[in-house]
Amino acid sequence: MKPSDWRFERIDVVAGAVSTGVIGFFVVVACAETLYRSHTHINDASDAAVALTPLAGHLASTLFAVGLVGAGLLAAAILPLSTSYSVSEAFGKEGRIAGNLRTEPIFFLTYIAMTALGAAIVLIPGAPLVPILFLTQAVNAVMLLPLLAMIAHLTRDRALMGELRIGTISACAAWATTALFTVTVIALGAFSLLPSHY
């Protein structure tokens, strides 16, 4: 990536963040209108599709299936890929998707291993996929806290960032985001220990 590409990268990041927030908002609204109102417990994908019937009508199952396939394909491509980049960089290698297994063995072996592991877990007969989903997201949130703090600190390091060092307003926003994540993780832990009322 060249400095001339940074403007487009910023547009991509902002658009992705806004889109994620908007989609997340409507997911909360849909769940509140269906799952929470009827106190429905979701044990698998079919339960979620049935619960959406009052909101989406008889096409609820089709709508949910299309969304699930789309989300699955996106996750299958993006999540192992980002992990592969991280693992390669941890070993001091520059992972390149334009390479191949011979030129970028760490990158591609990590990608293959992550994809195979995810597929193997999903294909386990009777695996509690919904609890696994919640657990992975909770672990992800906890692991994100030190990462956010490190990013907020490093982006203010003049020796490291030079002229690209973020300003005071951006630093305050970064630390405020980290604080907000900390509060939500603590709240998640506290609510998970409370007895369920339904």
Side-chain angles (χ1 to χ4, degrees), residues 123-166:
L123 293 174
I124 295 175
L129 298 181
V130 173
I132 290 174
L133 178 64
F134 277 106
L135 178 62
T136 56
Q137 294 308 303
V139 171
N140 182 52
V142 173
M143 295 178 65
L144 185 60
L145 290 179
L147 182 61
L148 284 175
M150 183 167 38
I151 290 174
H153 174 71
L154 291 177
T155 51
R156 288 286 289 169
D157 190 331
R158 191 181 301 276
L160 177 66
M161 300 300 296
E163 62 179 12
L164 298 177
R165 177 175 177 264
I166 63 172

Side-chain angles (χ1 to χ4, degrees), residues 52-79:
L52 286 173
T53 301
L55 190 65
H58 68 283
L59 294 177
S61 298
T62 303
L63 178 65
F64 184 80
V66 171
L68 193 62
V69 169
L73 291 174
L74 179 65
I78 300 301
L79 297 180

Side-chain angles (χ1 to χ4, degrees), residues 103-127:
T103 60
E104 307 288 341
I106 297 177
F107 180 84
F108 282 97
L109 286 175
T110 302
Y111 187 86
I112 293 170
M114 293 297 297
T115 304
L117 178 62
I121 292 174
V122 170
L123 293 174
I124 295 175

Side-chain angles (χ1 to χ4, degrees), residues 1 6-21:
M1 182 179 295
W6 293 343
R7 179 168 61 92
F8 300 104
E9 183 68 17
R10 177 171 291 182
I11 292 173
D12 179 64
V13 170
V14 172
V18 171
S19 300
T20 301

